[in-house]
Amino acid sequence: MAILPMTSPAYPSHNLPGTSMSVSSRVPVIFRRLHRFQQMDFELAFWQLSYLCLAPKRVYRNVYYHKQTKNTWARDDPAILILLFACLFVSAVAWSVVYRSSPPEAIKLALVMIIRDYLFVGAIVATIIWLFSNRVLLSPSSHTATADSGVEWAYAFDVHTNAFFPLYLTLYLAQLFLLPVVLKDNWVCLWVGNTLYLAGFGQYIYGIYLGLNALPFLIRTEILLAPLLPLFTSYIVSLLGFNVAKHVLHAYFGS
């Protein structure tokens, strides 16, 4: 019968590494629907972005409802992607104005922020946490469960997206307003700039943890907080005289 599963029910074919799929099936639904603006729920996307800063756990309560109605943990509405693209474009223009870049340079910066910083890095992070979750964090009982209990790659990218927004507010916007401070040559300003990066990446790591901790079939998700230790250690070492903001901005703008 057509309704019977064609693969092991414990691991749906679209969730696990090494499974043969068509090219179109490999592309998450959220990307395949980027051109369907009339079907996007921007009001919900605004709500999610707001609560990702105020109460991120509340956003992940909705994944249970989405799972029940759509039979997938990952969101299928690309409205939040469009909003993030717009936010990154606006911040690129603002940074270009501050550094007196030309319009082509501003467009190039926007593409770097969207394609490299968000999409490319996000794809790498999503792949890592997808593989790690399915191979290390999966509950033993879920290996024989009949329910869909594998971490989807698309959901891993959702987790990256949710974690990226607070980082965006900290490093792409707040840093812009604090630019006259973080670039000064004194220890207090170095502390402010480096603390800003600690907060941004700390929020990102915590956001990754929250996203995977929300899945009921994963265990030991506290392991995902482990990168906080080397992050904080690097922060302490950097206070000896390494200005993170100066080096990052030099990589972006060359000055």
Side-chain angles (χ1 to χ4, degrees), residues 13-188:
S13 61
H14 62 279
N15 287 346
L16 298 179
T19 304
S20 177
M21 296 164 52
S22 66
V23 175
S24 60
S25 298
R26 290 178 184 274
V27 180
V29 175
I30 193 172
F31 291 113
R32 299 203 300 266
R33 295 182 177 179
L34 274 172
H35 63 286
R36 302 180 183 178
F37 287 96
Q38 295 181 346
Q39 299 178 12
M40 297 183 191
D41 189 346
F42 287 99
E43 183 178 351
L44 176 61
F46 272 116
W47 178 88
Q48 290 177 335
L49 290 178
S50 300
Y51 274 92
L52 283 172
C53 302
L54 302 175
K57 290 183 179 180
R58 188 168 178 181
V59 175
Y60 286 108
R61 292 175 188 169
N62 287 346
V63 301
Y64 296 99
Y65 173 76
H66 193 272
K67 173 63 178 174
Q68 295 297 321
T69 57
K70 302 292 183 68
N71 195 33
T72 176
W73 295 100
R75 59 167 60 96
D76 54 1
D77 184 357
I80 195 168
L81 298 187
I82 300 299
L83 293 180
L84 276 175
F85 293 165
C87 289
L88 287 167
F89 182 83
V90 170
S91 63
V93 172
W95 279 99
S96 298
V97 170
V98 170
Y99 276 87
R100 299 180 181 178
S101 303
S102 64
E105 290 173 330
I107 295 175
K108 180 181 177 181
L109 179 62
L111 292 176
V112 167
M113 290 181 173
I114 294 173
I115 297 176
R116 186 191 67 184
D117 296 1
Y118 172 60
L119 292 176
F120 181 70
V121 173
I124 294 175
V125 171
T127 301
I128 292 173
I129 63 177
W130 171 61
L131 291 170
F132 182 79
S133 300
N134 282 318
R135 295 182 180 181
V136 179
L137 303 181
L138 207 60
S139 172
S141 60
S142 64
H143 286 276
T144 56
T146 57
D148 184 332
S149 55
V151 178
E152 308 161 5
W153 188 93
Y155 180 79
F157 190 84
D158 276 352
V159 172
H160 156 72
T161 296
N162 294 341
F164 182 85
F165 187 65
L167 181 144
Y168 161 80
L169 293 178
T170 303
L171 298 184
Y172 289 78
L173 288 187
Q175 183 179 206
L176 177 62
F177 291 103
L178 293 174
L179 194 60
V181 176
V182 300
L183 293 182
K184 285 186 177 180
D185 292 320
N186 61 69
W187 189 86
V188 173

Side-chain angles (χ1 to χ4, degrees), residues 183-204:
L183 293 182
K184 285 186 177 180
D185 292 320
N186 61 69
W187 189 86
V188 173
C189 294
L190 180 146
W191 172 77
V192 172
N194 290 7
T195 302
L196 204 62
Y197 278 83
L198 173 69
F201 285 102
Q203 288 173 311
Y204 184 81

